[in-house]
Amino acid sequence: MTDILILGAGGHGRVVLDIIHHARTYNPVGFLDNNAALHGRRIDGLPVLGGMNDLEKLKTTGIRAAIIAVGDNGVRRALGDQLESHDFEIVSAIHPSAQLARNTTIGKGVVIAAGALVCAHCQIGDYAILNTGCIIDHESMIGMATHICPGVRLAGHVTVESGAHIGIGATVIQNVRIGFESIVGAGAVVTQDVDPMTTVVGVPARPIKNAPSVSEFTDLIAPDGRDPMYVSTR
Ligand SMILES: CC(C)(COP(=O)(O)OP(=O)(O)OC[C@H]1O[C@@H](n2cnc3c(N)ncnc32)[C@H](O)[C@@H]1OP(=O)(O)O)[C@@H](O)C(=O)NCCC(=O)NCCS
């Protein structure tokens, strides 16, 4: 099995480690996290080997692959660029209990959590997260660096543009397009297209603001919240 690093030792990092253990496709050798307080500690048994500055050093030990386990969409994308510039292979993690239609197309650096269900002819872009128990129905397109949160239900032919966050338990009806870097609030029911960089909430979903802050998601995965690794590129 190929040795891999997990970038991000927060809550999402723990989820990704668990997926990798279940999938048995890669051998996780350690986390990297720019939060120096975590360096040298073990998270769920796996050591935190250092931060992003240690990539080159670790490469000399023969590690050439990594997965990005950071919840913030912009940061995931930026870390992907960084990994590529260091010539690292970017791998995906798919929980064995997830069910994917045979004709699903999946990009690099994708995380698909336990119980996710992807129906026929869907495309999943690079660095997307399909979180626990979400349902992506037929012919939906999930853009680059998006986060489809736990329990989300997307009907058929939904498009989620890059950087969008579909909040926990939200529902999106068929043929709807969610604009880039938009946020759909927890539990919303989206019945019409959402403009780019717009936050919508409620049933039916209505906009509350533009150019939303993603800091709350950042805090979920980076308790100190101050580290540049976790600052949104938005
Ligand atoms: C939508 C969301 C991003 C808004 O966060 P915010 O920009 O900080 O907005 P605020 O908390 O200031 O709320 C603004 C208004 O929207 C309302 N609101 C916020 N989230 C809402 C939701 N999910 N459903 C309905 N109303 C909501 C608030 O009550 C508030 O209403 P008011 O102005 O009448 O008081 C956030 O509430 C949310 O739902 N996040 C999703 C979290 C998630 O998916 N977690 C899973 C991670 S794996």
Side-chain angles (χ1 to χ4, degrees):
M1 281 198 288
T2 307
D3 289 345
I4 62 165
L5 297 167
I6 302 176
L7 270 51
H12 187 54
R14 291 182 156 183
V15 170
V16 170
L17 174 61
D18 183 65
I19 294 171
I20 291 166
H21 279 319
H22 277 93
R24 297 168 193 243
T25 319
Y26 298 107
N27 178 40
V29 293
F31 289 103
L32 286 191
D33 196 300
N34 283 353
N35 180 359
L38 295 177
H39 297 171
R41 282 180 49 189
R42 283 182 172 268
I43 308 284
D44 293 345
L46 199 70
V48 183
L49 300 174
M52 285 300 283
N53 288 341
D54 296 304
L55 266 183
E56 273 305 315
K57 189 177 73 190
L58 288 162
K59 215 162 97 175
T60 63
T61 68
I63 305 168
R64 304 301 294 256
I67 186 159
I68 305 164
V70 172
D72 183 294
N73 291 338
V75 172
R76 242 178 7 268
R77 200 164 170 163
L79 289 174
D81 291 346
Q82 236 177 308
L83 281 173
E84 283 188 334
S85 72
H86 287 276
D87 212 18
F88 266 72
E89 182 193 353
I90 301 168
V91 304
S92 296
I94 301 175
H95 196 284
S97 68
Q99 294 189 44
L100 311 182
R102 283 173 308 161
N103 39 36
T104 308
T105 324
I106 300 177
K108 66 185 172 199
V110 169
V111 170
I112 304 184
L117 185 53
V118 180
C119 300
H121 295 285
C122 291
Q123 294 180 32
I124 316 297
D126 296 347
Y127 312 126
I129 300 172
L130 305 188
N131 223 321
T132 314
C134 68
I135 297 174
I136 315 290
D137 219 312
H138 60 95
E139 297 162 276
S140 288
M141 296 187 58
I142 309 301
M144 179 191 253
T146 49
H147 187 169
I148 313 298
C149 285
V152 164
R153 292 171 296 181
L154 304 185
H157 215 274
V158 165
T159 300
V160 180
E161 293 184 352
S162 64
H165 177 101
I166 314 296
I168 188 163
T171 298
V172 182
I173 71 164
Q174 68 279 2
N175 301 323
V176 161
R177 175 176 288 265
I178 309 290
F180 65 86
E181 298 193 10
S182 287
I183 295 175
V184 173
V189 175
V190 183
T191 57
Q192 54 191 28
D193 290 358
V194 175
D195 288 338
M197 300 190 75
T198 300
T199 300
V200 296
V201 300
V203 182
R206 302 275 186 240
I208 52 171
K209 63 179 79 162
N210 288 337
S213 155
V214 291
S215 58
E216 69 173 291
F217 312 124
T218 302
D219 291 346
L220 284 177
I221 47 86
D224 75 343
R226 288 160 301 186
D227 192 287
M229 178 173 172
Y230 295 109
V231 175
S232 171
T233 56
R234 189 191 295 273

